[in-house]
Amino acid sequence: MEELKIRETTEKHGAQVEADDLLAGDTIQADHDDLQAMVKSVADSSSSTSGGSDDNDDDNEGPALTFRVLVLGTVFSIALAFVNMYYWFRSNPISVGIAVVQLLSLPAGWTMSRVLPTHTFNTLGFRWTMNPGRFNMKEHVLISVFANASTGTAYALDIVVVRRFWIGPPLSFGAGVVVALTSQLVGYSFSGLFHRFLVEPDAMVWPSTLASVMLFRALQSMVPRTQGAHTAGRLKTSRLRVFWIAFAASFVWYFVPGWAFPTLTMLPILCFAAPKNIYANQLGDGYSGLGMLALTLDWSTISNAYTGSPLATPWFAACNLLVGFVVVMWIITPAAYYANAWGAQELPIYTSDLFTTDGSAYNVSRVLSDGRLDDAAYREYGPMRMSFQFLAMYGFCFMGITCLVSHVALYHGADIWRIVRQSVGGLRLRQRLRLWQWRSESAAEGNSDAKQAAVPGLWYACVFVATVAMGVAACQAFDLLPWYGFLLAIGMACVLTLPVGLVEAVSNFQYALGVVTELVAGYLWPGQPTYNASFKMFGYITMRQALTLTRDQKLGRYLRVPPRDLFVCQVLGTLVAVFVQLGTAFWLMDTVAGICTDAGFPFTCRQARLFYSTMVIWGVIGPQRQFADGRYPGLYWMFLAGVFLPLPFWLLRRRFPRSVWRLVNLPVALTYIGYMPNAPTHDFVMFAAFCFVFNYLLLKHRSSWWRSYNFTLSAALDSGLAVSGIVGYFALQTTVPLDWWGTRNHCPISKDPLSAHRT
C-alpha cells in the first residue's frame, strides 16, 4: 500500500497550501490515484489563477478576521436564516445555498474596501480599523463560513414545531434557543478531538471542498490587486472565462427544466413507451418507481443534495455507489417485490407512506393519546406496514452501521492506532500541556506560520463543557430526554464521528446514522416520541456538526485561512442563525392562520410532517413492535451480516494490493441506500455517468484539460443553478404557472400497488 504524499506548494498568496508541513508519519494511507489528481489539480491551479504576481502577497500576510467579515457575515447569516426558515414551512420549500453568499460577498467586500475609512481605532487597548486594505481571499472565505451556518435549519426546529402542533407541551422561545444552541454547538468540540485524524493527514482530501477552492480563486481573480487597478487583464484568463461562460449557461438553461419544460427533469423512457402498463410505470418512474431507463437534462437532478456534484466526486466513490444502487434497487427490490415478499404487491413499489394491514393509509392519530402510544387503541387498529423497499432501506442501514465500524477497523485501524500512540506517547507532558495554551509555540516565537496556529484545545473544552451543561439542564427542564440519555447520545456521536469522517473525507459521502440513534432510543424509551427525536438530535446532529466544522477546517487549510478565525466565525454564525431561525419560526406560528394544516396553504409544514411520521415509526410504534415482535423480525440479522461483510474484500485487497479490490469501499456503496425512499431513483445513474466521463475518462485521457478546468466547471454549474433557482422561483414559478404536456406526470399509475392491476 502506498501512502498518499501530495505536496501542494503554490505562490505566496491566499491559495498557498503546503501539505508536507504535517508531522512525520501523520498520513493515513490511501490507494486512490484520483484523489491525488484532484488535490494536485487544485494546487497547480493557484499559480495560473494568480499569474504568479507578487501583488498577491497580501492575501497571505493580510488580516483575516476583520470588521468587514463580522459585518457582512452577520448580514448574510441573518438574510439566509430568515429566507430558509420562511420557506421551510411552505409546501414547496427552497433553500438559498452558500454559493449565493460566495458570489454576493465579493462585490460587497470590495465596495467596503473602497468606501470605508482607514482610520485606526483604539478600543480598550485593542487596535482595529474598518478598512485594513484590499478585500482578500481570507475574508471572502470567512464570510462564507460565517453564513454557511444559516443554509440549513437547526434540527431542534422540528421538535419545536412538532411539540407545538402534534405532541405537546409546546416549547417557549427561550427553551428553543437553549435546545438549538446545544444541538448545534456541542459537536464542534469533537472536531477538535479528531483534527489530527481528519484534517492534518494528506489522504484526508474532503473532495467537496476542492470545488469551493476553485470558486474562491476564480472570483478573487476579479478583485483588483491594488486600489484603483483594472481587472481587464485578469478577466482574460482561461479559467475565469470558463467559469463565467458555464455560470451563464447553467443560469439560463435551468429556466427550461425548472419552469418551462419540467419533463426534462425526468424523461421516463419506459413510461413513454407504455404509459398504461403497471410494470413500465413501476420500473421506469424516477420519483415513485425504480428509475430504470429514466434520463434527465436537469443539472439540479444530477448535482443534488443527496449526491453533490459529480465533478467533485472521485470516480472510485461513485463506482462503489453505483454498484450498491444497482444491486439493491434494480436487482433485490424488483425481485422481492414481484415475488410478493412480505405481501409487497399489496403496496406501492417505492414509497415512504405507512399503511394498515389491508393496504389503506395508516391513520396515526387513532393510536395516539396525549402524544404517546395508546396500547389498547393500537391493538384494536392493528400494526403498521411499510413497502418492501422502505424495509430494505432500514435493513441495509442496519448492515451499514456495523459494516462501517468493521471497515474502519480493518482498513484504517493500524493507522489510527499509530497516530494515537504518537499523540499520547510521543510527546512529553509539557508538550501536551501546550496544546491548551491560548497562544501556540510558533506564535510565541514569532514564527511566520503563527497565523496558522491550530485552535487551542481549551477553546474546544470550553464549548464542550458549556453546551453539555446547557444540554443536561434543557433535557431535565423541558422533558426532552433523561440526563443519562443525553450523555449517551453525545457519547455515541463522539464514537461515530471518526469512522464516518474517515469515509466522507475520501469519498465525499457522509453515511446517515440517524437510524441507529432512532433504534437505540426506540428500545430505551418505547412509546416516547419526544425522547426518540431528542436522542436523534443529540446523537446524530452532533456528529454532523462536528464534520461540518472539520470540512471547513480543511477548506481553510487549503486556502491558508487561520484556523482560529475560522472557528470563531463558525461559532458566531451558528449563534446568529439559531436566534433568527427561531424568531422567524415563532413569528410565523403566531401569525399565520391554520399553519401546518391544509387550511394554512402554502404554509403546510411539509418537512415537519415527515419528521412527525418518523417519530411515529420509531418513537410511538417502536422497533420492538415493528421489527422484533411484528411482521419483519429478520431485519436484525443485517447487523451481524455487516460485521463480516468487509472481511473478504479486505483479504482480497491484501492478497492483490494493486488490483481493483483496493478500490472497494462497502460503507460508500451502502450510503445512498439510506436516502431511499424519498430520494429520486433516476438521478444517481446520471450522476455516476457524469462522474465517469469527467473523473475517469477525461482525467485519464485529457488530464491537462481536467486539471485546468474540472473544478472550475463544477463550481460554475452549481453557482449558476443556485442563482437561477431563486430567481426562477420568485419571478416565474409562483406567478406564471404553466400547464401542458411538458409539465405533466407521464407515469400516472406508478404509485399504484401491483395487486390493484391484477386481472
Side-chain angles (χ1 to χ4, degrees), residues 654-667:
R654 289 178 61 87
R655 179 65 179 83
F656 308 102
R658 300 306 300 172
S659 69
V660 69
W661 299 113
R662 67 190 173 91
L663 302 177
V664 174
N665 191 311
L666 291 177

Side-chain angles (χ1 to χ4, degrees), residues 3 181 265 413 505 522 576 604 640 755:
E3 290 187 351
L181 286 178
T265 298
V576 172
T604 56
L640 184 61
S755 59

Side-chain angles (χ1 to χ4, degrees), residues 567-617:
F567 176 84
V568 169
C569 284
Q570 192 150 31
V571 171
L572 290 177
T574 301
L575 293 173
V576 172
V578 165
F579 279 95
V580 175
Q581 287 177 358
L582 277 165
T584 304
F586 274 85
W587 169 63
L588 290 172
M589 290 188 294
D590 292 337
T591 58
V592 177
I595 190 171
C596 294
T597 66
D598 293 337
F601 184 85
F603 294 95
T604 56
C605 307
R606 180 179 179 180
Q607 298 195 48
R609 289 184 173 187
L610 177 61
F611 178 82
Y612 177 59
S613 297
T614 303
M615 290 178 65
V616 169
I617 295 175

Side-chain angles (χ1 to χ4, degrees), residues 30 32 35 203-207 314 316-317 501-508 665:
H32 311 303
L35 289 178
M204 300 295 100
V205 174
W206 294 90
F316 92 90
L502 288 172
V503 172
E504 183 181 1
V506 298
S507 69
N508 210 27
N665 191 311

